[in-house]
Amino acid sequence: MHRPSRQHQHLLEKIARKESRAKVNNRKPGTRLKQWKKWAEAYKALTAQA
């Protein structure tokens, strides 16, 4: 089953968790975060259609 709204919400949660961790440890967020943001942007359009 393909559920873009759920996947989008999960990505947003992952991004927030990763950013907060980086802030606490005074580090850069990392390369995965950039990819997750790109995916979240793609899913944003799909969730608007549904």
Side-chain angles (χ1 to χ4, degrees):
M1 185 180 330
H2 188 66
R3 297 178 358 193
S5 59
R6 182 176 177 158
Q7 289 175 331
H8 182 248
Q9 187 61 37
H10 186 223
L11 273 172
L12 292 179
E13 290 171 5
K14 275 173 58 168
I15 290 169
R17 194 176 330 124
K18 187 79 164 179
E19 285 177 335
S20 69
R21 248 193 206 160
K23 188 179 277 189
V24 166
N25 295 329
N26 293 326
R27 293 184 177 180
K28 291 183 181 178
T31 56
R32 271 293 198 207
L33 184 68
K34 189 175 183 181
Q35 190 176 28
W36 292 343
K37 284 184 178 182
K38 189 175 172 184
W39 291 345
E41 197 63 36
Y43 275 114
K44 188 183 211 180
L46 287 174
T47 57
Q49 292 173 0

